[in-house]
Amino acid sequence: MGLLAPWLLLLGAAAAVPLLLHLMHRRPGPRVPFPALRYLQRAQRERGRRVRLRQLALLALRVLAVLLIALAAARPFRPSGAASHAPTAVAIVLDNSMSTGVAADGVRLFDRLRDVARATLDAAGPDDRFWLIAAAEPWRPAVTDDRDEIARALDDVDVVEADADLAAAVARAAELLRAGAGARAAEVHLLSDLQATALASAAEGADLPVIAWSPDGEPANHGIVDVDVGGGLPPRAGEAGQLSAAVHAATADTLTLRLWIDGQPASAARVSGDGAAVFSLPARAGGLVTGHVETEPDDLPADDRRPFAYRISPAPTVRIVGDAPFARQALAALEAGGRIRTGVAGTLDVLVAADAAGVADVPARTALVVVPPTDPLQLAALNLRLAAAGLPWRYEPAAGEGTAQFAPVDGDDELGGALAPVRVERAYDLVGTESAARADTLLQLGDGRPWALRVPRPGGGAAVLLASPLDPSATGVPASAAMVPLMDRLVGSWARTGGGASPTLRPGSTVELPGTATGVEAPDGTRTPVEGGAPWRAPARAGLYRVLSADSLLDVLAVAPAAAESRLERADEEALERALPNADVRRAGSTEEWTEVIFRRRRGAEWWRTLAALLVAALLVESVAAARRRGEDETA
Amino acid sequence: MDTTRRGSRRADLLTPEQLAALGGLELVARRVVEGFLAGIHRSPFRGFSVEFAEHRPYQPGDDLRHVDWRMYGRSDRYYVKQFEEDTNLRANVLVDASGSMGWSSAPGRLPTKLWYARQLAASLSLLLLRQGDAVGLTVFDERVRARVRAKGGRRHWAELLRTLDTAEAGGRTSTSEPLREIAVRLRRRGLVVLVSDLLGDVEETLLALRFLRHRGHEVLVFHVMDPGERALPQLADARFVEPETGEELPVSVAEMRDEYTAAVDAALAEWRDALRPQGIDYVVVGTDQPMTLALRAYLHKRERLG
């Protein structure tokens, strides 16, 4: 039962009036001498119970009449799919993440979700207002309009390869409703497979009714959840490498993985259950390499093929100046592995400067990696050299001392894992000397201070400024497993452009395009103009995107779905409650059930007529009973 | 026959209110009895024996065999001869004078139950004495307050009247103890007439009446009721107070009226059902009813006794 005006139930408090009158009516009356008291006692004993019952019945009738008035005023109704309802503002959160592309009996789950949304619109009234939120595309503006426009907007939404944060989407819906519902009732309709991984966060602010539709059953899925080339360090030109492909499988069946490189089948491997296959990559000359790993298609095809791209570059020529024995040893190890070559001044790709003198007179084509001195007294000389080199940054002793750790690294690759346990005892503050000083933060400490900055150089190229000396007294990096990958990353990609692996992007994530980029070509061949050097959002469709400068290929970006989208386990009630702790959540599993529970403030099938009839009946009975008693009183 | 003494209306048919206007106990009782006897056209008197005592004027109902025709020849008036006789019945009238008997639902308009009981007792006594029975009187509440031994003769009536005249309502109703006491004292079997509102303990009263019957007495019970006891007064709500005990009972009169009447009827029926099997006559008399109803009941009883 619902109530259209629940506040009028307060009228029910008036039920206390007949109670009070009943109590006040019990006046003692005059004292009358009466010797035949025994007959009165006998009458009371034998008939008094009936009289009391009649009095109580009269009282109950009066209380009932008041309660019926209050209830009728509150306008109760029986929720029914066929009934109309009070004007309602509805935010439809439509889950279009990759997992909703799973098919059952030839029908995609997303299509069922969309049909449920259409059922909502079919039951809508002319005064309802709608918002449509595509949960997997949070960057997409919510559509708001009447039901006809929303019906058309539903046709434009489709499954994407992005993941969804359902709690965030519901929180966004709640904000929209709070701002735009006005006097209407507000509801959030969450149409989703309620994937457990999509409910990892919590929406504290969503304190509205949330009506969730999710299908029964849980399909088994397998998919390729990660492809990694060389553990984040792609092979150099002429160097063989490895590619690993991780698989998620809900069953223990054996899957066949096939590796395709540049449009040609390259290799195959078999994997059972959750596991990974490692493919050998043959040595190749420099250039961009693209491909994909695929497995047998299942009901969710989006994760059965995963693209990748990497760049094969010749080993850079590197030289180190200054007193930095650990850095020198790491570079020696990289040279021994063929990752770098030792170069001489004038032909260097990268110069690692471990003292102030090394910063001076570095050619524009040479990338610079600045390692600060251990002795803070030498910072002044280093800052002078930086200024002389046109770098608007300076080192300053840290305001506070204390141990810090590295903040998590985006991509969670091998370097990030190796840096996670490393502590930093001393890190200088890197301060821009100009208001327009630009820099990309490559590594950050847990307290927010930058540890590695990439700074553009006036003549082109870039410089990487480290915040700590590579000395065990300042940081644990030199003595950790992170030292060699860090130096490889510094000299191989961070200090240079186009020198390393192209990262695999998740749909919706952003990446900075090369400064000369003019357009991006999608897998289907459509080109989109872009601004060079500007952030670019990875599209919701997985695939290989070609970054172009006019007609020249600058880079290839692989966009692949999040691994979590391959895990189709449903969230249980507890997880749903954790994600939406303040919402009044109701769930439905069928369209029929759905139409019963949505539009909670139903106006149709109101009960006021029934209540009014009951009220009249109660008043009639009360009048007869009261008149009878009044007649007896008046006779007396 | 002299009919002027009866007045234009028979006193036994007058309402108690009208009777009270006639005068004192003696006059009222006498006129009631005479009116009653005139109504039945037959003398109920018995006990005429061989020893002449006196003459008295003929009264309607007198047996013509007792008319002294010689006196008629001399005086041209009808006289009947009366004789000193042995009484053939000893009657004892018991009058309840407890506090509840002093109540009237409409003081000034309706007499108290005690007034009615006194009139009834006086009239009965006169009737009994006139037919040559011996009459005794006991006035009681929870104990015997006054007692006149049973004797015959017309002069005895005056003593009975004096005793009745001095009876005032007071004390609590307890019929059982006086009845038992009287039963023990009455050695000769006879008629016991109880005039009471029967508001004492029912079981004890029944037990005492059965005891009287067990001792061989004929028992006649006049249950005196004020009309205000048959139906509740016209009030909305009231606290009813029992005068003897002070017990109080709040009642919504309008809602209890029907139930009360039914309870009274049930109680009276219970009295009747309890007494009749014992051979005890039970008559309910209202203080708004003429005396003739009670006297007829007595007469009916007396005729059965022979």
Side-chain angles (χ1 to χ4, degrees), chain A residues 323-324 354-356 371-383 395-398 401 426-428 466-475:
Chain A
D323 183 21
D355 64 10
V371 181
T374 306
D375 184 0
L377 295 176
Q378 297 179 16
L379 288 181
L382 175 59
N383 288 335
Y395 284 87
E396 289 189 358
E401 291 295 325
R426 188 182 345 142
Y428 300 116
L466 301 185
S468 296
L470 293 176
D471 184 276
S473 65
T475 171

PDB file of all heavy atoms in Angstrom, chain A residues 323-324 354-356 371-383 395-398 401 426-428 466-475:
ATOM      1  N   ASP A 323      79.099  11.386  -9.488  1.00  0.00           N
ATOM      2  CA  ASP A 323      79.344  10.264  -8.593  1.00  0.00           C
ATOM      3  C   ASP A 323      78.015   9.611  -8.225  1.00  0.00           C
ATOM      4  O   ASP A 323      77.321  10.067  -7.320  1.00  0.00           O
ATOM      5  CB  ASP A 323      80.060  10.775  -7.338  1.00  0.00           C
ATOM      6  CG  ASP A 323      80.398   9.624  -6.404  1.00  0.00           C
ATOM      7  OD1 ASP A 323      80.448   8.464  -6.882  1.00  0.00           O
ATOM      8  OD2 ASP A 323      80.572   9.882  -5.195  1.00  0.00           O
ATOM      9  N   ALA A 324      77.640   8.552  -8.969  1.00  0.00           N
ATOM     10  CA  ALA A 324      76.381   7.830  -8.691  1.00  0.00           C
ATOM     11  C   ALA A 324      76.621   6.363  -8.977  1.00  0.00           C
ATOM     12  O   ALA A 324      76.231   5.842 -10.028  1.00  0.00           O
ATOM     13  CB  ALA A 324      75.254   8.381  -9.545  1.00  0.00           C
ATOM     14  N   ALA A 354      74.706  13.346 -12.600  1.00  0.00           N
ATOM     15  CA  ALA A 354      74.682  13.153 -11.154  1.00  0.00           C
ATOM     16  C   ALA A 354      75.417  14.259 -10.430  1.00  0.00           C
ATOM     17  O   ALA A 354      75.604  14.196  -9.214  1.00  0.00           O
ATOM     18  CB  ALA A 354      75.273  11.795 -10.791  1.00  0.00           C
ATOM     19  N   ASP A 355      75.889  15.301 -11.137  1.00  0.00           N
ATOM     20  CA  ASP A 355      76.442  16.487 -10.479  1.00  0.00           C
ATOM     21  C   ASP A 355      76.043  17.705 -11.295  1.00  0.00           C
ATOM     22  O   ASP A 355      75.578  17.603 -12.428  1.00  0.00           O
ATOM     23  CB  ASP A 355      77.947  16.373 -10.271  1.00  0.00           C
ATOM     24  CG  ASP A 355      78.706  16.304 -11.584  1.00  0.00           C
ATOM     25  OD1 ASP A 355      78.063  16.534 -12.651  1.00  0.00           O
ATOM     26  OD2 ASP A 355      79.898  15.994 -11.565  1.00  0.00           O
ATOM     27  N   ALA A 356      76.255  18.864 -10.700  1.00  0.00           N
ATOM     28  CA  ALA A 356      75.771  20.082 -11.338  1.00  0.00           C
ATOM     29  C   ALA A 356      76.478  20.340 -12.660  1.00  0.00           C
ATOM     30  O   ALA A 356      75.872  20.837 -13.617  1.00  0.00           O
ATOM     31  CB  ALA A 356      75.975  21.253 -10.373  1.00  0.00           C
ATOM     32  N   VAL A 371      70.065  13.811 -11.464  1.00  0.00           N
ATOM     33  CA  VAL A 371      70.060  13.159 -10.149  1.00  0.00           C
ATOM     34  C   VAL A 371      70.633  14.156  -9.155  1.00  0.00           C
ATOM     35  O   VAL A 371      71.761  14.602  -9.318  1.00  0.00           O
ATOM     36  CB  VAL A 371      70.887  11.867 -10.170  1.00  0.00           C
ATOM     37  CG1 VAL A 371      70.865  11.179  -8.807  1.00  0.00           C
ATOM     38  CG2 VAL A 371      70.388  10.931 -11.250  1.00  0.00           C
ATOM     39  N   PRO A 372      69.883  14.578  -8.125  1.00  0.00           N
ATOM     40  CA  PRO A 372      70.391  15.623  -7.214  1.00  0.00           C
ATOM     41  C   PRO A 372      71.525  15.097  -6.344  1.00  0.00           C
ATOM     42  O   PRO A 372      71.646  13.887  -6.134  1.00  0.00           O
ATOM     43  CB  PRO A 372      69.157  15.966  -6.384  1.00  0.00           C
ATOM     44  CG  PRO A 372      68.343  14.739  -6.412  1.00  0.00           C
ATOM     45  CD  PRO A 372      68.575  14.088  -7.739  1.00  0.00           C
ATOM     46  N   PRO A 373      72.350  16.030  -5.830  1.00  0.00           N
ATOM     47  CA  PRO A 373      73.485  15.610  -5.001  1.00  0.00           C
ATOM     48  C   PRO A 373      73.020  15.157  -3.613  1.00  0.00           C
ATOM     49  O   PRO A 373      71.965  15.563  -3.142  1.00  0.00           O
ATOM     50  CB  PRO A 373      74.315  16.881  -4.908  1.00  0.00           C
ATOM     51  CG  PRO A 373      73.331  17.978  -5.064  1.00  0.00           C
ATOM     52  CD  PRO A 373      72.288  17.466  -6.014  1.00  0.00           C
ATOM     53  N   THR A 374      73.896  14.370  -2.995  1.00  0.00           N
ATOM     54  CA  THR A 374      73.587  13.915  -1.637  1.00  0.00           C
ATOM     55  C   THR A 374      73.713  15.066  -0.643  1.00  0.00           C
ATOM     56  O   THR A 374      72.929  15.186   0.307  1.00  0.00           O
ATOM     57  CB  THR A 374      74.537  12.785  -1.226  1.00  0.00           C
ATOM     58  OG1 THR A 374      74.475  11.770  -2.229  1.00  0.00           O
ATOM     59  CG2 THR A 374      74.152  12.185   0.121  1.00  0.00           C
ATOM     60  N   ASP A 375      74.697  15.938  -0.896  1.00  0.00           N
ATOM     61  CA  ASP A 375      74.957  17.056   0.023  1.00  0.00           C
ATOM     62  C   ASP A 375      74.046  18.232  -0.330  1.00  0.00           C
ATOM     63  O   ASP A 375      74.130  18.778  -1.436  1.00  0.00           O
ATOM     64  CB  ASP A 375      76.423  17.472  -0.103  1.00  0.00           C
ATOM     65  CG  ASP A 375      76.776  18.565   0.884  1.00  0.00           C
ATOM     66  OD1 ASP A 375      75.855  18.991   1.662  1.00  0.00           O
ATOM     67  OD2 ASP A 375      77.919  19.001   0.889  1.00  0.00           O
ATOM     68  N   PRO A 376      73.187  18.663   0.568  1.00  0.00           N
ATOM     69  CA  PRO A 376      72.292  19.785   0.249  1.00  0.00           C
ATOM     70  C   PRO A 376      73.022  21.068  -0.069  1.00  0.00           C
ATOM     71  O   PRO A 376      72.469  21.945  -0.742  1.00  0.00           O
ATOM     72  CB  PRO A 376      71.461  19.926   1.527  1.00  0.00           C
ATOM     73  CG  PRO A 376      71.632  18.660   2.270  1.00  0.00           C
ATOM     74  CD  PRO A 376      72.971  18.121   1.903  1.00  0.00           C
ATOM     75  N   LEU A 377      74.282  21.188   0.384  1.00  0.00           N
ATOM     76  CA  LEU A 377      75.022  22.430   0.129  1.00  0.00           C
ATOM     77  C   LEU A 377      75.309  22.601  -1.360  1.00  0.00           C
ATOM     78  O   LEU A 377      75.585  23.704  -1.816  1.00  0.00           O
ATOM     79  CB  LEU A 377      76.331  22.430   0.919  1.00  0.00           C
ATOM     80  CG  LEU A 377      76.167  22.461   2.443  1.00  0.00           C
ATOM     81  CD1 LEU A 377      77.525  22.366   3.129  1.00  0.00           C
ATOM     82  CD2 LEU A 377      75.464  23.757   2.864  1.00  0.00           C
ATOM     83  N   GLN A 378      75.243  21.498  -2.099  1.00  0.00           N
ATOM     84  CA  GLN A 378      75.528  21.602  -3.529  1.00  0.00           C
ATOM     85  C   GLN A 378      74.280  21.915  -4.349  1.00  0.00           C
ATOM     86  O   GLN A 378      74.355  22.023  -5.564  1.00  0.00           O
ATOM     87  CB  GLN A 378      76.142  20.283  -4.013  1.00  0.00           C
ATOM     88  CG  GLN A 378      77.492  19.968  -3.356  1.00  0.00           C
ATOM     89  CD  GLN A 378      78.055  18.639  -3.846  1.00  0.00           C
ATOM     90  OE1 GLN A 378      77.627  18.096  -4.851  1.00  0.00           O
ATOM     91  NE2 GLN A 378      79.049  18.136  -3.119  1.00  0.00           N
ATOM     92  N   LEU A 379      73.133  22.091  -3.665  1.00  0.00           N
ATOM     93  CA  LEU A 379      71.904  22.362  -4.409  1.00  0.00           C
ATOM     94  C   LEU A 379      71.948  23.720  -5.105  1.00  0.00           C
ATOM     95  O   LEU A 379      71.402  23.879  -6.199  1.00  0.00           O
ATOM     96  CB  LEU A 379      70.691  22.310  -3.460  1.00  0.00           C
ATOM     97  CG  LEU A 379      70.277  20.931  -2.957  1.00  0.00           C
ATOM     98  CD1 LEU A 379      69.039  21.045  -2.057  1.00  0.00           C
ATOM     99  CD2 LEU A 379      69.947  20.021  -4.135  1.00  0.00           C
ATOM    100  N   ALA A 380      72.621  24.683  -4.457  1.00  0.00           N
ATOM    101  CA  ALA A 380      72.671  26.028  -5.035  1.00  0.00           C
ATOM    102  C   ALA A 380      73.352  25.995  -6.402  1.00  0.00           C
ATOM    103  O   ALA A 380      72.869  26.590  -7.387  1.00  0.00           O
ATOM    104  CB  ALA A 380      73.397  26.966  -4.081  1.00  0.00           C
ATOM    105  N   ALA A 381      74.449  25.254  -6.484  1.00  0.00           N
ATOM    106  CA  ALA A 381      75.160  25.173  -7.764  1.00  0.00           C
ATOM    107  C   ALA A 381      74.300  24.473  -8.812  1.00  0.00           C
ATOM    108  O   ALA A 381      74.238  24.898  -9.976  1.00  0.00           O
ATOM    109  CB  ALA A 381      76.472  24.402  -7.555  1.00  0.00           C
ATOM    110  N   LEU A 382      73.582  23.432  -8.385  1.00  0.00           N
ATOM    111  CA  LEU A 382      72.721  22.722  -9.329  1.00  0.00           C
ATOM    112  C   LEU A 382      71.602  23.623  -9.830  1.00  0.00           C
ATOM    113  O   LEU A 382      71.290  23.640 -11.029  1.00  0.00           O
ATOM    114  CB  LEU A 382      72.140  21.481  -8.642  1.00  0.00           C
ATOM    115  CG  LEU A 382      71.122  20.678  -9.463  1.00  0.00           C
ATOM    116  CD1 LEU A 382      71.742  20.180 -10.774  1.00  0.00           C
ATOM    117  CD2 LEU A 382      70.597  19.498  -8.653  1.00  0.00           C
ATOM    118  N   ASN A 383      71.014  24.400  -8.907  1.00  0.00           N
ATOM    119  CA  ASN A 383      69.923  25.288  -9.314  1.00  0.00           C
ATOM    120  C   ASN A 383      70.417  26.334 -10.325  1.00  0.00           C
ATOM    121  O   ASN A 383      69.688  26.700 -11.249  1.00  0.00           O
ATOM    122  CB  ASN A 383      69.312  25.971  -8.083  1.00  0.00           C
ATOM    123  CG  ASN A 383      68.503  24.976  -7.246  1.00  0.00           C
ATOM    124  OD1 ASN A 383      68.017  23.979  -7.767  1.00  0.00           O
ATOM    125  ND2 ASN A 383      68.377  25.234  -5.949  1.00  0.00           N
ATOM    126  N   TYR A 395      65.766  23.020  -6.950  1.00  0.00           N
ATOM    127  CA  TYR A 395      65.702  22.100  -5.814  1.00  0.00           C
ATOM    128  C   TYR A 395      65.769  22.899  -4.520  1.00  0.00           C
ATOM    129  O   TYR A 395      66.544  23.837  -4.406  1.00  0.00           O
ATOM    130  CB  TYR A 395      66.864  21.110  -5.838  1.00  0.00           C
ATOM    131  CG  TYR A 395      66.712  19.998  -6.856  1.00  0.00           C
ATOM    132  CD1 TYR A 395      67.147  20.163  -8.172  1.00  0.00           C
ATOM    133  CD2 TYR A 395      66.164  18.780  -6.490  1.00  0.00           C
ATOM    134  CE1 TYR A 395      67.015  19.148  -9.100  1.00  0.00           C
ATOM    135  CE2 TYR A 395      66.030  17.752  -7.420  1.00  0.00           C
ATOM    136  CZ  TYR A 395      66.450  17.938  -8.718  1.00  0.00           C
ATOM    137  OH  TYR A 395      66.318  16.923  -9.622  1.00  0.00           O
ATOM    138  N   GLU A 396      65.000  22.485  -3.565  1.00  0.00           N
ATOM    139  CA  GLU A 396      65.082  23.109  -2.238  1.00  0.00           C
ATOM    140  C   GLU A 396      65.004  21.999  -1.194  1.00  0.00           C
ATOM    141  O   GLU A 396      64.305  20.997  -1.395  1.00  0.00           O
ATOM    142  CB  GLU A 396      63.940  24.096  -2.032  1.00  0.00           C
ATOM    143  CG  GLU A 396      64.102  25.348  -2.883  1.00  0.00           C
ATOM    144  CD  GLU A 396      63.084  26.421  -2.515  1.00  0.00           C
ATOM    145  OE1 GLU A 396      62.247  26.157  -1.626  1.00  0.00           O
ATOM    146  OE2 GLU A 396      63.132  27.495  -3.118  1.00  0.00           O
ATOM    147  N   PRO A 397      65.740  22.208  -0.090  1.00  0.00           N
ATOM    148  CA  PRO A 397      65.654  21.196   0.976  1.00  0.00           C
ATOM    149  C   PRO A 397      64.190  21.023   1.419  1.00  0.00           C
ATOM    150  O   PRO A 397      63.440  22.002   1.453  1.00  0.00           O
ATOM    151  CB  PRO A 397      66.518  21.773   2.101  1.00  0.00           C
ATOM    152  CG  PRO A 397      67.416  22.751   1.426  1.00  0.00           C
ATOM    153  CD  PRO A 397      66.657  23.305   0.261  1.00  0.00           C
ATOM    154  N   ALA A 398      63.850  19.826   1.741  1.00  0.00           N
ATOM    155  CA  ALA A 398      62.464  19.552   2.130  1.00  0.00           C
ATOM    156  C   ALA A 398      62.124  20.277   3.423  1.00  0.00           C
ATOM    157  O   ALA A 398      62.947  20.403   4.329  1.00  0.00           O
ATOM    158  CB  ALA A 398      62.249  18.059   2.307  1.00  0.00           C
ATOM    159  N   GLU A 401      61.221  16.576   7.500  1.00  0.00           N
ATOM    160  CA  GLU A 401      61.901  15.299   7.286  1.00  0.00           C
ATOM    161  C   GLU A 401      60.946  14.167   7.662  1.00  0.00           C
ATOM    162  O   GLU A 401      60.026  14.329   8.434  1.00  0.00           O
ATOM    163  CB  GLU A 401      63.160  15.223   8.158  1.00  0.00           C
ATOM    164  CG  GLU A 401      64.272  16.186   7.733  1.00  0.00           C
ATOM    165  CD  GLU A 401      64.845  15.869   6.358  1.00  0.00           C
ATOM    166  OE1 GLU A 401      64.933  14.669   6.023  1.00  0.00           O
ATOM    167  OE2 GLU A 401      65.152  16.805   5.607  1.00  0.00           O
ATOM    168  N   ARG A 426      64.915  10.746   2.192  1.00  0.00           N
ATOM    169  CA  ARG A 426      65.154  12.175   1.917  1.00  0.00           C
ATOM    170  C   ARG A 426      64.764  12.479   0.472  1.00  0.00           C
ATOM    171  O   ARG A 426      65.190  11.770  -0.445  1.00  0.00           O
ATOM    172  CB  ARG A 426      66.617  12.536   2.144  1.00  0.00           C
ATOM    173  CG  ARG A 426      66.865  14.026   2.066  1.00  0.00           C
ATOM    174  CD  ARG A 426      68.308  14.440   2.244  1.00  0.00           C
ATOM    175  NE  ARG A 426      69.188  13.434   2.797  1.00  0.00           N
ATOM    176  CZ  ARG A 426      70.443  13.282   2.373  1.00  0.00           C
ATOM    177  NH1 ARG A 426      70.938  14.013   1.382  1.00  0.00           N
ATOM    178  NH2 ARG A 426      71.218  12.368   2.941  1.00  0.00           N
ATOM    179  N   ALA A 427      63.954  13.499   0.308  1.00  0.00           N
ATOM    180  CA  ALA A 427      63.567  13.951  -1.031  1.00  0.00           C
ATOM    181  C   ALA A 427      63.512  15.470  -1.008  1.00  0.00           C
ATOM    182  O   ALA A 427      62.913  16.049  -0.111  1.00  0.00           O
ATOM    183  CB  ALA A 427      62.221  13.361  -1.431  1.00  0.00           C
ATOM    184  N   TYR A 428      64.193  16.096  -1.996  1.00  0.00           N
ATOM    185  CA  TYR A 428      64.149  17.552  -2.084  1.00  0.00           C
ATOM    186  C   TYR A 428      62.822  17.985  -2.693  1.00  0.00           C
ATOM    187  O   TYR A 428      62.185  17.232  -3.439  1.00  0.00           O
ATOM    188  CB  TYR A 428      65.299  18.069  -2.949  1.00  0.00           C
ATOM    189  CG  TYR A 428      66.677  17.699  -2.409  1.00  0.00           C
ATOM    190  CD1 TYR A 428      67.522  16.865  -3.131  1.00  0.00           C
ATOM    191  CD2 TYR A 428      67.109  18.194  -1.170  1.00  0.00           C
ATOM    192  CE1 TYR A 428      68.771  16.536  -2.642  1.00  0.00           C
ATOM    193  CE2 TYR A 428      68.361  17.856  -0.680  1.00  0.00           C
ATOM    194  CZ  TYR A 428      69.189  17.022  -1.416  1.00  0.00           C
ATOM    195  OH  TYR A 428      70.398  16.683  -0.936  1.00  0.00           O
ATOM    196  N   LEU A 466      64.851  14.107 -10.794  1.00  0.00           N
ATOM    197  CA  LEU A 466      64.542  13.218  -9.673  1.00  0.00           C
ATOM    198  C   LEU A 466      64.625  14.012  -8.375  1.00  0.00           C
ATOM    199  O   LEU A 466      65.449  14.923  -8.242  1.00  0.00           O
ATOM    200  CB  LEU A 466      65.517  12.039  -9.628  1.00  0.00           C
ATOM    201  CG  LEU A 466      65.566  11.151 -10.874  1.00  0.00           C
ATOM    202  CD1 LEU A 466      66.495   9.948 -10.622  1.00  0.00           C
ATOM    203  CD2 LEU A 466      64.182  10.652 -11.248  1.00  0.00           C
ATOM    204  N   ALA A 467      63.844  13.678  -7.382  1.00  0.00           N
ATOM    205  CA  ALA A 467      63.806  14.427  -6.127  1.00  0.00           C
ATOM    206  C   ALA A 467      64.814  13.896  -5.120  1.00  0.00           C
ATOM    207  O   ALA A 467      65.165  14.605  -4.173  1.00  0.00           O
ATOM    208  CB  ALA A 467      62.400  14.378  -5.525  1.00  0.00           C
ATOM    209  N   SER A 468      65.254  12.663  -5.266  1.00  0.00           N
ATOM    210  CA  SER A 468      66.176  12.086  -4.288  1.00  0.00           C
ATOM    211  C   SER A 468      67.485  11.693  -4.975  1.00  0.00           C
ATOM    212  O   SER A 468      67.468  11.257  -6.139  1.00  0.00           O
ATOM    213  CB  SER A 468      65.578  10.822  -3.662  1.00  0.00           C
ATOM    214  OG  SER A 468      64.421  11.130  -2.939  1.00  0.00           O
ATOM    215  N   PRO A 469      68.599  11.827  -4.247  1.00  0.00           N
ATOM    216  CA  PRO A 469      69.838  11.243  -4.771  1.00  0.00           C
ATOM    217  C   PRO A 469      69.671   9.731  -4.866  1.00  0.00           C
ATOM    218  O   PRO A 469      68.976   9.131  -4.046  1.00  0.00           O
ATOM    219  CB  PRO A 469      70.886  11.614  -3.712  1.00  0.00           C
ATOM    220  CG  PRO A 469      70.252  12.636  -2.848  1.00  0.00           C
ATOM    221  CD  PRO A 469      68.781  12.429  -2.928  1.00  0.00           C
ATOM    222  N   LEU A 470      70.318   9.092  -5.831  1.00  0.00           N
ATOM    223  CA  LEU A 470      70.239   7.630  -5.940  1.00  0.00           C
ATOM    224  C   LEU A 470      71.311   7.041  -5.051  1.00  0.00           C
ATOM    225  O   LEU A 470      72.297   6.449  -5.508  1.00  0.00           O
ATOM    226  CB  LEU A 470      70.385   7.192  -7.403  1.00  0.00           C
ATOM    227  CG  LEU A 470      69.211   7.618  -8.290  1.00  0.00           C
ATOM    228  CD1 LEU A 470      69.456   7.253  -9.748  1.00  0.00           C
ATOM    229  CD2 LEU A 470      67.914   6.986  -7.795  1.00  0.00           C
ATOM    230  N   ASP A 471      71.114   7.254  -3.769  1.00  0.00           N
ATOM    231  CA  ASP A 471      72.083   6.860  -2.751  1.00  0.00           C
ATOM    232  C   ASP A 471      71.298   6.171  -1.624  1.00  0.00           C
ATOM    233  O   ASP A 471      70.230   6.642  -1.241  1.00  0.00           O
ATOM    234  CB  ASP A 471      72.785   8.109  -2.212  1.00  0.00           C
ATOM    235  CG  ASP A 471      73.875   7.749  -1.228  1.00  0.00           C
ATOM    236  OD1 ASP A 471      73.517   7.549  -0.021  1.00  0.00           O
ATOM    237  OD2 ASP A 471      75.032   7.631  -1.646  1.00  0.00           O
ATOM    238  N   PRO A 472      71.795   5.071  -1.100  1.00  0.00           N
ATOM    239  CA  PRO A 472      71.039   4.344  -0.052  1.00  0.00           C
ATOM    240  C   PRO A 472      70.746   5.195   1.171  1.00  0.00           C
ATOM    241  O   PRO A 472      69.808   4.905   1.911  1.00  0.00           O
ATOM    242  CB  PRO A 472      71.962   3.173   0.286  1.00  0.00           C
ATOM    243  CG  PRO A 472      72.821   2.995  -0.904  1.00  0.00           C
ATOM    244  CD  PRO A 472      73.021   4.357  -1.492  1.00  0.00           C
ATOM    245  N   SER A 473      71.555   6.265   1.414  1.00  0.00           N
ATOM    246  CA  SER A 473      71.256   7.103   2.579  1.00  0.00           C
ATOM    247  C   SER A 473      70.005   7.944   2.364  1.00  0.00           C
ATOM    248  O   SER A 473      69.410   8.448   3.306  1.00  0.00           O
ATOM    249  CB  SER A 473      72.452   8.018   2.880  1.00  0.00           C
ATOM    250  OG  SER A 473      72.615   8.926   1.794  1.00  0.00           O
ATOM    251  N   ALA A 474      69.622   8.130   1.113  1.00  0.00           N
ATOM    252  CA  ALA A 474      68.460   8.970   0.818  1.00  0.00           C
ATOM    253  C   ALA A 474      67.228   8.158   0.477  1.00  0.00           C
ATOM    254  O   ALA A 474      66.100   8.545   0.794  1.00  0.00           O
ATOM    255  CB  ALA A 474      68.787   9.929  -0.330  1.00  0.00           C
ATOM    256  N   THR A 475      67.423   7.031  -0.159  1.00  0.00           N
ATOM    257  CA  THR A 475      66.269   6.234  -0.580  1.00  0.00           C
ATOM    258  C   THR A 475      66.665   4.772  -0.737  1.00  0.00           C
ATOM    259  O   THR A 475      67.831   4.468  -1.000  1.00  0.00           O
ATOM    260  CB  THR A 475      65.680   6.762  -1.907  1.00  0.00           C
ATOM    261  OG1 THR A 475      64.720   5.829  -2.366  1.00  0.00           O
ATOM    262  CG2 THR A 475      66.730   6.923  -2.970  1.00  0.00           C
TER     263      THR A 475
END
